[in-house]
Amino acid sequence: MNTGSDEPGEVATAEGETKSEGPLGSRAPEFIKARRALHLSWQVGVFVVGLAVVGAGVIMLPLPGPGWLVIFGGMAIWATEFVWAQLVLRWTKRKVTEATQRALDPKVRRRNIILTSVGVVIVAALGGVYLWKFGVAMPWNIQE
């Protein structure tokens, strides 16, 4: 996976402006970073909390709940301490920004509206055929 450079750079925003990305690395308080054992235990704590949040998000994927949102929240927790998570989060933000820009393209919007309209017409036609053939009967009550 290409996550770009490790150096802080500029990020394109929706308005076409650029903003600078922050530095990579730990965001722990200085007194924690000054002591090796305390910093290591801080990192373990951040990893465990992030893992619990990501695990809850994975569980929510097949169940009702905002699974992907919780997974990205866990990644954000990891990104407060680990460079690899910061790079993955930056890559994800870039891809979401690119997808947003593509979705706002008039040609893509027109195509999506047409495809949605065709889908609605097909579902309505299938529903009409079902009602014409069986009436307002539930599928498990149909006697043929």
Side-chain angles (χ1 to χ4, degrees), residues 16-35:
E17 302 169 355
T18 57
K19 65 178 183 177
S20 180
E21 292 179 332
L24 296 173
S26 175
R27 294 190 181 106
E30 290 301 322
F31 75 92
I32 291 178
K33 287 195 272 188
R35 293 164 184 81

Side-chain angles (χ1 to χ4, degrees), residues 36-104:
R36 177 84 175 123
L38 188 58
H39 191 223
L40 186 60
S41 62
W42 176 272
Q43 286 180 327
V44 168
V46 167
F47 183 79
V48 168
V49 170
L51 185 63
V53 172
V54 168
V58 169
I59 290 171
M60 284 184 207
L61 286 175
L63 300 175
W68 284 111
L69 186 65
V70 174
I71 290 172
F72 291 134
M75 288 297 299
I77 290 171
W78 279 338
T80 63
E81 195 58 36
F82 303 107
V83 173
W84 62 267
Q86 293 169 2
L87 293 173
V88 169
L89 213 51
R90 285 182 182 180
W91 178 82
T92 304
K93 286 179 184 178
R94 275 197 305 271
K95 293 300 179 184
V96 167
T97 303
E98 291 171 10
T100 303
Q101 292 300 320
R102 280 194 311 270
L104 293 176

